[in-house]
Amino acid sequence: MSKLKIAVQKSGRLNESSLKLLKDCGFNVNNGNDQLKVSVENFPIELLYLRNSDIPQYVEDGTADIGIIGENLLIEQKKNITILLKLGFAKCRVSLAVPKAIDTNELSYFEGKKIATSYPATLKTFLNENKINAEIHAIAGSVEIAPNIGLADGICDIVSSGNTLFKNGLRETKVILKSEAVLVQSHKVNSDKKALIDQVLFRIQAVLRARRNKYILLNVPNEKIEAVAEILPVLESPTVLPLAKKGWSSLHSVIKEKEFWQVIDALKMAGAKDLLIVPIDKMVY
């Protein structure tokens, strides 16, 4: 059987999280050690370590069957590839920013101005949609310095925490799009490769579900089981086990990470005691 070729970023903000995801899926991944092509020992996978900006082209050409890239790059390059799954890490936004001295957030500020960016296609589309006429200066890197050296009146760039903008005397004024890491697929994969992709996708989904949820164990008086069970956002229904203490039971269930504290507060008010929260390694259904 031919190997499934997966393109990942060789270095940068996506590299570590991408490799961790694959390792959490049970793949014995080698980190590369300056190699551009590495075979996975326990699954028919070949990893291609590539420059981030090259991954969409490799996937579109079919040189890589699937890849992990930032959604923002996919939007910028407009390649003919399919997003299979959003992965929940490397979240950022592409935003407009101006010098701190500028006291307006209105888009009209950019009318007739110069904007430096590494995302000229994305910016051009946004400006056209909002009927703003501005001069776009495409820059490969260090976009934040452009206003300070008189090259531009503002910038359009990736923002995560906003610290880089702050350090360069800039502030964010408008979010153009939000992005995160995505798993993408070539349109040129054959049926054998598609079967392998389905297996990889199944494992990734199990890992991502586990990351989004927590396992919860709690004790509750028997007369309050029904009320407590209604609070738990479970897959089917909670597991109920009798305790040695007469009139009490232990409930086991799953709660979503983003709803964690709201659910915990509601459970305590409903009479739940001795709550124990446990991380989930994999979640398969």
Side-chain angles (χ1 to χ4, degrees):
M1 178 184 290
S2 58
K3 292 184 177 181
L4 181 69
K5 295 181 179 180
I6 304 179
V8 296
Q9 188 183 65
K10 180 164 180 59
S11 61
R13 66 190 189 93
L14 284 174
N15 172 269
E16 185 176 340
S17 296
S18 298
L19 295 181
K20 184 180 187 309
L21 175 63
L22 294 174
K23 290 176 182 178
D24 287 347
C25 289
F27 304 126
N28 293 340
V29 175
N30 185 301
N31 283 26
N33 296 324
D34 295 327
Q35 293 177 276
L36 298 181
K37 186 172 68 171
V38 177
S39 293
V40 172
E41 298 175 2
N42 61 340
F43 199 86
I45 285 176
E46 199 167 63
L47 286 185
L48 306 180
Y49 289 95
L50 305 172
R51 288 194 311 172
N52 192 51
S53 58
D54 290 340
I55 292 176
Q57 187 65 59
Y58 272 70
V59 175
E60 184 180 58
D61 291 344
T63 304
D65 303 302
I66 58 177
I68 298 177
I69 60 172
E71 189 176 8
N72 57 295
L73 182 61
L74 184 61
I75 292 171
E76 172 66 21
Q77 293 194 8
K78 295 182 172 63
K79 298 298 182 183
N80 183 29
I81 54 182
T82 299
I83 295 178
L84 294 177
L85 189 65
K86 294 191 175 186
L87 301 176
F89 59 83
K91 291 186 177 182
C92 66
R93 52 199 182 272
V94 177
S95 297
L96 289 167
V98 300
K100 291 178 183 177
I102 304 300
D103 61 1
T104 180
N105 291 341
E106 296 298 324
L107 283 177
S108 57
Y109 163 78
F110 292 99
E111 181 67 32
K113 299 291 199 304
K114 298 177 182 178
I115 308 174
T117 185
S118 297
Y119 297 90
T122 301
L123 176 59
K124 183 178 180 180
T125 298
F126 176 80
L127 294 176
N128 289 342
E129 289 174 350
N130 288 274
K131 296 179 173 56
I132 299 294
N133 294 307
E135 185 177 336
I136 297 174
H137 284 256
I139 300 177
S142 301
V143 174
E144 295 85 359
I145 199 175
N148 291 329
I149 61 176
L151 180 63
D153 302 290
I155 70 166
C156 173
D157 201 18
I158 284 181
V159 179
S160 295
S161 66
N163 287 337
T164 303
L165 291 180
F166 180 80
K167 291 176 182 178
N168 285 276
L170 303 172
R171 64 181 186 84
E172 188 177 7
T173 60
K174 180 68 175 180
V175 176
I176 291 179
L177 63 87
K178 293 183 178 180
S179 173
E180 64 184 270
V182 292
L183 182 71
V184 295
Q185 176 188 303
S186 172
H187 289 294
K188 297 184 178 181
V189 296
N190 57 35
S191 57
D192 288 340
K193 293 287 185 73
K194 187 63 173 65
L196 290 174
I197 291 172
D198 288 342
Q199 292 182 56
V200 171
L201 193 58
F202 177 80
R203 294 194 188 191
I204 291 177
Q205 288 171 326
V207 170
L208 295 183
R209 288 192 203 103
R211 291 180 180 180
R212 293 193 295 263
N213 293 276
K214 299 291 184 183
Y215 192 77
I216 182 170
L217 301 86
L218 54 95
N219 297 333
V220 63
N222 289 341
E223 67 270 16
K224 295 184 178 180
I225 290 177
E226 185 175 347
V228 168
E230 289 181 357
I231 297 170
L232 293 169
V234 295
L235 300 179
E236 294 292 342
S237 62
T239 299
V240 181
L241 301 173
L243 295 179
K245 184 178 180 180
K246 187 176 181 180
W248 282 74
S249 294
S250 175
L251 269 66
H252 298 203
S253 187
V254 171
I255 59 176
K256 294 180 180 179
E257 177 74 34
K258 65 180 180 180
E259 300 172 356
F260 179 83
W261 288 113
Q262 298 94 316
V263 172
I264 296 300
D265 290 340
L267 289 172
K268 290 180 66 177
M269 291 181 65
K273 302 285 186 181
D274 307 321
L275 285 77
L276 179 63
I277 313 300
V278 182
I280 302 173
D281 187 39
K282 305 290 187 298
M283 192 169 170
V284 180
Y285 59 80

